């Protein structure tokens, strides 16, 4: 309908198609399958938690649980310079030939989330306080929806400024950023958009019914500015780890 001109431009000037997600179609295993090229049965990440062997104790799943080499590690071994920003399942940050700012499941900025470790202080000094991600839990109460949306956009602005700063540092061989706000806003705001949703409220839909579309437009604009800075020797890939629908 013309709301996402950057994505339309990329589809018209490049190649596009539908991707199948992983089984299960969840953030952690799906992004790890992208990073490793193997399915969850081989990289061994199935969820955000896993049961400890021979017990009923559940522990968080992190990057150190991955049993297959990642693209970031393989590129580093080939002496390519790597920059990753907010990619899920890159926590804790592992050494790369470059820089890494962890994505989910990084719990907060109070723990080391970057490689090298002092990179976060550098980002905070140049960009401003780095924000990990918005909290969709805010939007599950009526009083928190506006605060959630404000945080959503603020986090995206910080993400773009951080990406701009990291890209200025050097000409990376591989740069990757994940805008997980498209995921978060869909989780939180689908009920306002979808009239068949059991929690749909028509009166609130007047205010919030286009929240997902509006945020996609916002990210599309940010993506357009990134695209305009790329030279002819750069290959751009835009992808998602899974789709969205009513649940």
């Amino acid at each position: 309908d013309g709301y996402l001109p950057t994505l339309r431009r990329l589809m018209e000037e490049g190649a596009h198609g539908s991707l199948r997600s992983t089984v299960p179609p969840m953030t952690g295993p799906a992004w790890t399958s992208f990073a490793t090229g193997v399915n969850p049965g081989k990289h061994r990440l199935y969820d955000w938690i896993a049961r400890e062997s021979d017990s009923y104790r559940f522990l968080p799943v992190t990057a150190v649980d991955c049993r297959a080499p990642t693209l970031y590690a393989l590129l580093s071994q080939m002496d390519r310079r790597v920059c990753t920003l907010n990619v899920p399942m890159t926590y804790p940050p592992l050494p790369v030939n470059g820089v890494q700012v962890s994505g989910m499941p990084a719990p907060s900025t109070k723990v080391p989330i970057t490689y090298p470790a002092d990179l976060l202080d550098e980002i905070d000094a140049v960009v401003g306080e780095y924000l990990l991600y918005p909290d969709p839990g805010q939007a599950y109460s009526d009083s928190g929806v506006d605060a959630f949306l404000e945080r959503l956009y603020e986090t995206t602005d910080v993400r773009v400024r951080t990406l701009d700063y990291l890209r200025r540092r050097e000409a990376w061989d591989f740069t990757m950023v994940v805008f997980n706000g498209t995921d978060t806003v869909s989780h939180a705001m689908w009920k306002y958009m979808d009239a068949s949703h059991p929690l749909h409220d028509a009166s609130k839909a007047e205010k919030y019914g286009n929240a997902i579309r509006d945020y996609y437009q916002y990210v599309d604009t940010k993506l357009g500015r990134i695209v305009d800075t790329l030279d002819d020797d750069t290959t751009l890939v835009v992808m998602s780890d899974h789709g969205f629908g009513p649940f």
Side-chain angles (χ1 to χ4, degrees):
D1 293 333
Y3 291 111
L4 307 175
T6 303
L7 288 180
R8 169 177 280 184
R9 170 186 163 194
L10 295 176
M11 293 173 72
E12 290 175 346
E13 298 178 5
H16 63 90
S18 297
L19 293 175
R20 290 191 180 192
S21 190
T22 48
V23 178
M26 294 175 60
T27 298
W31 282 114
T32 306
S33 285
F34 149 77
T36 60
V38 300
N39 65 43
K42 295 179 180 178
H43 63 61
R44 307 293 290 173
L45 272 62
Y46 304 101
D47 203 335
W48 296 113
I49 58 174
R51 187 171 58 82
E52 194 174 37
S53 181
D54 299 321
S55 80
Y56 290 104
R57 183 173 177 234
F58 284 84
L59 299 174
V61 172
T62 70
V64 297
D65 297 301
C66 182
R67 292 294 177 262
T70 65
L71 178 64
Y72 332 116
L74 295 172
L75 287 168
S76 296
Q77 291 171 16
M78 297 302 293
D79 204 29
R80 296 293 192 264
R81 296 291 287 165
V82 172
C83 170
T84 76
L85 173 59
N86 196 46
V87 179
M89 283 302 173
T90 55
Y91 176 81
L94 301 176
V96 293
N97 184 32
V99 297
Q100 188 169 89
V101 182
S102 293
M104 297 174 74
S108 76
T109 56
K110 305 297 183 184
V111 298
I113 63 165
T114 64
Y115 179 86
D118 59 357
L119 178 62
L120 182 61
D121 291 336
E122 186 179 326
I123 292 171
D124 286 345
V126 175
V127 174
E129 181 186 4
Y130 183 76
L131 303 176
L132 273 177
Y133 13 75
D135 177 12
Q138 287 182 304
Y140 296 154
S141 66
D142 291 343
S143 61
V145 176
D146 291 329
F148 162 74
L149 290 173
E150 181 179 351
R151 176 84 170 186
L152 175 73
Y153 283 88
E154 183 182 9
T155 302
T156 307
D157 284 341
V158 171
R159 192 91 66 227
V160 172
R161 294 201 305 271
T162 303
L163 177 66
D164 289 342
Y165 170 67
L166 293 176
R167 289 181 65 205
R168 289 196 302 269
R169 293 184 83 205
E170 68 177 271
W172 306 101
D173 294 304
F174 175 86
T175 304
M176 181 174 179
V177 59
V178 171
F179 293 105
N180 64 301
T182 52
D183 175 293
T184 311
V185 74
S186 298
H187 276 300
M189 309 298 287
W190 193 278
K191 62 186 177 184
Y192 299 109
M193 178 182 71
D194 183 357
S196 66
H197 194 286
L199 298 179
H200 183 75
D201 184 324
S203 62
K204 293 172 185 170
E206 292 183 13
K207 182 177 181 180
Y208 300 119
N210 292 325
I212 296 175
R213 187 196 70 191
D214 292 346
Y215 181 72
Y216 263 82
Q217 281 189 276
Y218 185 74
V219 175
D220 189 84
T221 300
K222 298 292 188 184
L223 177 61
R225 294 173 185 170
I226 296 170
V227 172
D228 289 341
T229 68
L230 302 180
D231 59 33
D232 292 338
D233 292 326
T234 300
T235 299
L236 174 68
V237 178
V238 179
M239 63 180 177
S240 176
D241 57 336
H242 55 69
F244 264 90
F247 178 68

